[in-house]
Amino acid sequence: MNENIEKLKSHYEQLNSRERTMVIAAAIALAVFIPYQFIWSPIVNGVVERRTKVEKQEQDLVWMQSKLSEVQQLSRSASSSNTTGKSLYGLVEKTARQKFGGDIRIQQEGKKGIRVQIKNAGFDAVMFWLDDLQMKYKINIKDFKIDRSKTPGNVRASVLVES
């Protein structure tokens, strides 16, 4: 190791003063650049990224808090809409007829259950109707069977619901 240092010293001493100045300037630039590039810059960039992430999350929190009262109101109205005196049968029949028209058959099944058979309806319409039953009216889907219809995109479905 000392041997290498001695070689560098002898090589440095052979340089003229202008070259020595350039070597010293390059060494100083490297001494500043390397710590900056590999230590300081990653730390600063990490802080900036974290700050940006926190600001975004704070904006999300403010938006969620602004929507809290709306969610609570919808939740209250959904739970009260199921308890407005409408029977489960009447509610299911009304929503199914609005969605599918005459392509349905509804029958009581047991004490609590209602079976809805949909003859020919769009798959998306059936799924949105089921989602409404669950989310708006808090109706449980106990059994669900679905088959393709002859018309592309349409299905035949049998659904058993309970409150």
Side-chain angles (χ1 to χ4, degrees), residues 8-20:
L8 284 174
K9 276 185 183 180
S10 70
H11 187 59
Y12 177 75
E13 289 171 358
Q14 291 176 358
L15 299 174
N16 64 36
S17 66
R18 187 173 182 191
E19 290 172 335
R20 286 182 188 172

Side-chain angles (χ1 to χ4, degrees), residues 5 44 82-83:
I5 293 174
V44 170
N82 196 20
T83 57

Side-chain angles (χ1 to χ4, degrees), residues 19-121:
E19 290 172 335
R20 286 182 188 172
T21 306
M22 287 177 27
V23 168
I24 290 173
I28 292 172
L30 271 175
V32 170
F33 175 76
I34 288 176
Y36 173 80
Q37 186 66 29
F38 296 107
I39 297 171
W40 183 255
S41 181
I43 290 172
V44 170
N45 289 341
V47 168
V48 169
E49 287 175 13
R50 295 279 193 280
R51 189 172 293 141
T52 303
K53 188 175 181 180
V54 166
E55 288 172 359
K56 171 78 170 103
Q57 289 176 341
E58 286 173 345
Q59 290 172 353
D60 289 347
L61 176 63
V62 167
W63 179 82
M64 283 189 238
Q65 287 173 336
S66 73
K67 298 297 181 185
L68 178 63
S69 63
E70 184 179 337
V71 168
Q72 289 171 338
Q73 182 182 7
L74 289 172
S75 178
R76 282 192 299 271
S77 70
S79 64
S80 68
S81 70
N82 196 20
T83 57
T84 57
K86 290 184 179 179
S87 70
L88 176 64
Y89 187 92
L91 183 63
V92 170
E93 180 182 29
K94 178 184 174 192
T95 59
R97 292 218 185 275
Q98 284 175 345
K99 196 69 145 179
F100 310 112
D103 281 346
I104 62 168
R105 192 173 93 208
I106 302 174
Q107 60 190 23
Q108 190 76 35
E109 194 164 296
K111 289 184 179 182
K112 295 182 181 180
I114 298 169
R115 169 103 26 213
V116 180
Q117 293 179 338
I118 304 165
K119 297 174 188 170
N120 188 24

Side-chain angles (χ1 to χ4, degrees), residues 113-159:
I114 298 169
R115 169 103 26 213
V116 180
Q117 293 179 338
I118 304 165
K119 297 174 188 170
N120 188 24
F123 176 78
D124 291 344
V126 173
M127 298 314 288
F128 285 125
W129 177 67
L130 291 174
D131 184 58
D132 280 350
L133 289 180
Q134 286 185 313
M135 301 306 284
K136 272 189 186 176
Y137 304 111
K138 307 291 186 226
I139 295 174
N140 297 321
I141 291 147
K142 292 296 180 183
D143 183 40
F144 176 66
K145 295 177 185 148
I146 194 163
D147 294 315
R148 284 187 218 173
S149 180
K150 293 178 183 177
T151 309
N154 283 7
V155 293
R156 292 184 314 264
S158 176
V159 182

